[in-house]
Amino acid sequence: MIEPDIAGIAGTLGAAADTATAVPQLAAQTGLDVDAAYAVQAALVQRRLDRGERLVGLKMGLTSKAKMAQVGVGEVIWGRLTDVMRVADGGTVDVARFIHPRAEPEVAFLLDRLPEPGEPVGDFTDAVRAVAPAIELIDSRYANFTFSLPDVIADNTSAAAFVVGSWSPVPDGLDNLGVLLEIDGRVAQVGSTAAILGDPRRALDEGIRLAGRHGVRLREGWVFLAGAATAAVPLRPGAHVRAVVEKLGTASLRALS
Ligand code: OOG
Ligand code: MG
């Protein structure tokens, strides 16, 4: 069996993102399994850090059935967020930088003191300082937004950009808050935070556990995206996108026309 070329694959995916040009799926041809795919992800994000970006958080993917069904991959995954991916709430995004961006409504946590990997989050309000509604922009670097599990992991779980709304103290219940995604004032997706592993707090346990397997420890001050509560919606130039999460408020962005 030939060892996959981790640096070479990261270079291909990095160039695809930099030039907004889709590439064919590559995991099957290169013998990439899940562990090797996380190694590619680390190398791909390292390219960004080498040019001055900073790691600012972690994102979960495919924590809801709606998302799993949309992309045909049935496993929870995680990826890395950098400062350059963050867009100010109400800010503008140049969609020409992306291949086929989609927007999805999320719940964000601002991390506080974190337990060691393997240790469950005992008291959630000790581990999380604040909660906010968020929008994630995903942009698979693969043609037709189609990929296998190792492909999407290698591609940093399609991470492209994210917006976080105003932070609130952690409310009593997070497990059944209504979620809306609006495009130009029209409701495009409706869901509930219950769709996120039954309770988005569970996504944090999973993130600590899954990232810990690859030697990644979550840090105080990081943003943690728990995963989309609904399917993602294509982001067209000129569109105004707003996510509304009951009790938490809204996050919004505009795509440049
Ligand atoms: C993979 C990323 C999934 C989420 O919130 O479920 C994700 C994809 O759909 O391309 O970010
Ligand atoms: Mg997401």
Side-chain angles (χ1 to χ4, degrees):
M1 177 88 195
I2 306 165
E3 284 295 309
D5 172 10
I6 303 293
I9 299 168
T12 301
L13 290 169
D18 291 346
T19 60
T21 311
V23 293
Q25 291 179 59
L26 38 75
Q29 290 83 341
T30 56
L32 213 58
D33 62 11
V34 164
D35 283 341
Y38 276 112
V40 171
Q41 183 191 119
L44 176 64
V45 175
Q46 188 59 48
R47 287 173 92 252
R48 286 174 166 266
L49 305 184
D50 289 345
R51 53 188 195 212
E53 296 183 33
R54 272 187 320 113
L55 265 190
V56 296
L58 199 122
K59 59 158 284 189
M60 301 306 286
L62 312 182
T63 48
S64 66
K65 294 218 164 63
K67 283 288 312 183
M68 286 181 174
Q70 184 174 34
V71 297
V73 175
E75 302 255 354
V76 174
I77 55 179
W78 61 276
R80 292 154 161 104
L81 300 173
T82 76
D83 58 340
V84 166
M85 298 177 188
R86 184 154 180 180
V87 177
D89 188 21
T92 304
V93 181
D94 181 5
V95 283
R97 285 168 42 215
F98 303 126
I99 302 164
H100 37 205
R102 295 177 176 176
E104 53 188 27
E106 302 236 359
V107 174
F109 300 146
L110 179 60
L111 300 183
D112 208 325
R113 294 185 302 105
L114 266 291
E116 297 294 328
E119 229 183 279
V121 180
D123 187 347
F124 183 79
T125 48
D126 279 350
V128 170
R129 205 176 292 165
V131 182
I135 299 168
E136 188 183 20
L137 295 191
I138 51 172
D139 188 39
S140 176
R141 269 52 70 166
Y142 302 110
N144 307 314
F145 226 109
T146 304
F147 41 72
S148 66
L149 174 65
D151 276 313
V152 67
I153 291 169
D155 185 29
N156 196 24
T157 66
S158 312
F162 66 100
V163 174
V164 178
S166 300
W167 296 110
S168 313
V170 181
D172 274 346
L174 272 180
D175 56 329
N176 197 12
L177 305 178
V179 175
L180 295 179
L181 184 72
E182 295 173 358
I183 309 284
D184 296 329
R186 292 215 179 96
V187 175
Q189 291 287 335
V190 183
S192 159
T193 56
I196 305 165
L197 296 176
D199 184 330
R201 287 177 292 196
R202 223 164 268 150
L204 183 57
D205 279 323
E206 282 296 285
I208 292 168
R209 191 176 66 80
L210 294 174
R213 270 194 205 163
H214 298 275
V216 174
R217 174 119 200 250
L218 280 62
R219 301 202 176 274
E220 189 174 341
W222 272 13
V223 172
F224 179 90
L225 295 181
T230 72
V233 172
L235 180 65
R236 313 244 177 259
H240 181 255
V241 183
R242 196 164 83 118
V244 185
V245 182
E246 188 186 345
K247 286 193 192 170
L248 302 185
T250 66
S252 71
L253 68 87
R254 185 176 293 281
L256 261 189
S257 39

